[in-house]
Amino acid sequence: PDNLQEELDFFKLPHKDGDGANCGNPLSKDYFRFIEDGSLRSQFAEIKRALESSMQCSYWASSRERILSQFVIDTGLVDRVMFASFDGCTPNSSQPERQLGAILPTVITAGTVTRRAVERTWLTASNPKKNRIGSELKSLIRAPPNCKIVGADVDSQELWISAVLGDAEFAGIHGST
């Protein structure tokens, strides 16, 4: 057609920064709520699939590099590992014995003004969602047998706990650090 604009309808998409701001990419995270509530939709199957795919891949796209760059070590231990299903149902104990590994996170122990620990992958909250590829990874992390994963987010208690454990392990006394 000579004048494509006359044959198409264009609609201004809402922007989080207000009416005066232009939309950069309607497939970005800022527009997922509009996709989910049906405000941003299409009658064409290909466009619907593109919108769904954008939402499904968003978590993995933003986390892929951090997750793949983790420092993983072989502990040399073998145990029957309990894997929970994605929907949080009862763990499946019929899994074969597997070798246990460990991820050594890159933690900056006093990475903020308030001396909070900073770690870009494992210290952030994440709720697994069936429609977000990769969002289940944190829920798959398990402590080795007879161990616990400990976390705290109140007044730098992570540092205090680390100091107590470090003192007990390496100095043999509490309060040396």
Side-chain angles (χ1 to χ4, degrees):
D2 292 333
N3 193 352
L4 188 59
Q5 280 189 324
E6 290 179 10
E7 294 189 24
L8 298 175
D9 291 325
F10 291 91
F11 298 95
K12 183 163 177 59
L13 294 174
H15 194 279
K16 65 180 176 82
D17 295 333
D19 292 337
N22 289 325
C23 169
N25 181 359
L27 300 179
S28 69
K29 193 173 185 178
D30 292 333
Y31 291 90
F32 288 171
R33 64 186 169 111
F34 299 115
I35 296 170
E36 288 174 337
D37 73 11
S39 299
L40 184 56
R41 65 186 181 279
S42 174
Q43 63 185 6
F44 301 105
E46 296 84 6
I47 303 299
K48 288 180 184 178
R49 183 69 186 131
L51 293 172
E52 290 169 3
S53 295
S54 176
M55 286 189 355
Q56 289 174 343
C57 297
S58 66
Y59 181 87
W60 183 244
S62 67
S63 303
R64 180 183 183 276
E65 184 180 330
R66 287 181 304 204
I67 291 170
L68 293 177
S69 68
Q70 295 295 305
F71 187 58
V72 180
I73 61 169
D74 176 5
T75 63
L77 301 173
V78 176
D79 192 50
R80 183 168 301 281
V81 181
M82 302 287 280
F83 290 95
S85 64
F86 182 75
D87 62 2
C89 293
T90 307
N92 180 357
S93 62
S94 64
Q95 294 289 333
E97 288 187 346
R98 296 196 178 193
Q99 196 160 355
L100 294 178
I103 298 170
L104 297 179
T106 308
V107 177
I108 302 169
T109 54
T112 68
V113 174
T114 59
R115 297 183 350 181
R116 283 185 163 182
V118 173
E119 204 282 332
R120 294 179 44 202
T121 305
W122 307 110
L123 287 180
T124 57
S126 177
N127 297 320
K129 295 182 180 179
K130 288 184 179 184
N131 65 341
R132 300 286 194 280
I133 296 169
S135 67
E136 75 283 1
L137 291 176
K138 289 182 189 180
S139 67
L140 298 175
I141 301 297
R142 300 283 184 260
N146 301 318
C147 295
K148 302 285 183 204
I149 296 175
V150 177
D153 194 19
V154 181
D155 298 330
S156 301
Q157 287 186 17
E158 298 101 326
L159 298 174
W160 184 84
I161 292 170
S162 296
V164 169
L165 295 175
D167 291 346
E169 178 67 24
F170 300 111
I173 59 170
H174 170 63
S176 68
T177 55

